[in-house]
Amino acid sequence: AVLVSGETGVGKELVAKAVHTLSGLKGDYVSINIAGLDDQMFSDTLFGHRRGSFTGAFNDRDGLIMKAANGTIFLDEIGDLNELSQIKLLRLLQENEYYQLGSDIPLRSSARLVVATNKNLWHCMSTGKFRKDLYYRLCTHQVEIPPLRNRTGDIPLLFNHFIIQS
């Protein structure tokens, strides 16, 4: 996993896309903002479900982990993830496997995980809002992006990029 952190607007998703592109992975790049997702929605969106697993589940749904097979899945706002979902994400990181809702058959994941936050996860961990074991799994490869006010040398590059794009 790769953890990208920095203030809102510094380009965390651009870094995630660059990690995917430079990795040479053949699968898709899949992005999701997980802020505000309850555990049921998180599980269904990421892991998918089997038909009949809950009211309204009329068809099977693969989930974004499967869509990102042999590619990268980017989870934005990881600092807002609730505790139950943190446990499921930790299992995915530790075992490279997950369960779709309504299934007791584990599936293997071949997706690279990149997560991002604008929160101080160390502080969240010390206050009990973020699991220590998940934090230590995520922080092995960490990129901290400073705000633009601290890297004024990038302004001409960004200016030229946006002029060319318009």
Side-chain angles (χ1 to χ4, degrees):
V2 178
L3 170 63
V4 183
S5 56
E7 293 179 7
T8 299
V10 297
K12 294 181 291 289
E13 186 161 4
L14 292 174
V15 170
K17 286 179 182 175
V19 167
H20 173 72
T21 301
L22 294 172
S23 71
L25 295 174
K26 303 297 182 205
D28 291 338
Y29 171 85
V30 178
S31 174
I32 181 170
N33 185 323
I34 58 174
L37 295 182
D38 63 19
D39 182 60
Q40 172 84 19
M41 187 61 108
F42 172 82
S43 297
D44 187 36
T45 302
L46 235 59
F47 307 132
H49 64 257
R50 306 311 312 156
R51 185 176 148 253
S53 59
F54 55 86
T55 303
F58 300 115
N59 298 309
D60 290 347
R61 177 180 182 191
D62 288 339
L64 296 181
I65 293 288
M66 196 172 291
K67 183 177 181 186
N70 301 311
T72 301
I73 186 151
F74 173 63
L75 305 179
D76 200 6
E77 304 300 344
I78 193 74
D80 293 330
L81 195 60
N82 68 57
E83 187 175 353
L84 286 174
S85 299
Q86 288 179 38
I87 292 167
K88 292 174 184 175
L89 184 60
L90 180 62
R91 177 170 181 82
L92 179 69
L93 284 167
Q94 288 176 332
E95 308 296 331
N96 280 335
E97 68 179 29
Y98 62 98
Y99 293 89
Q100 292 183 312
L101 294 174
S103 175
D104 56 358
I105 300 169
L107 298 174
R108 301 285 301 164
S109 170
S110 61
R112 165 177 281 135
L113 183 66
V114 179
V115 299
T117 187
N118 60 5
K119 293 186 175 184
N120 181 332
L121 290 185
W122 179 260
H123 176 71
C124 292
M125 182 186 63
S126 66
T127 60
K129 294 181 181 174
F130 203 83
R131 293 179 59 92
K132 289 180 182 180
D133 46 4
L134 180 57
Y135 173 79
Y136 288 113
R137 285 280 181 183
L138 293 174
C139 74
T140 54
H141 297 43
Q142 189 170 3
V143 178
E144 174 74 30
I145 305 172
L148 188 57
R149 68 179 171 276
N150 294 346
R151 45 188 179 103
T152 55
D154 290 352
I155 293 173
L157 297 169
L158 292 168
F159 180 78
N160 287 334
H161 171 75
F162 290 121
I163 291 297
I164 291 169
Q165 296 294 326
S166 59

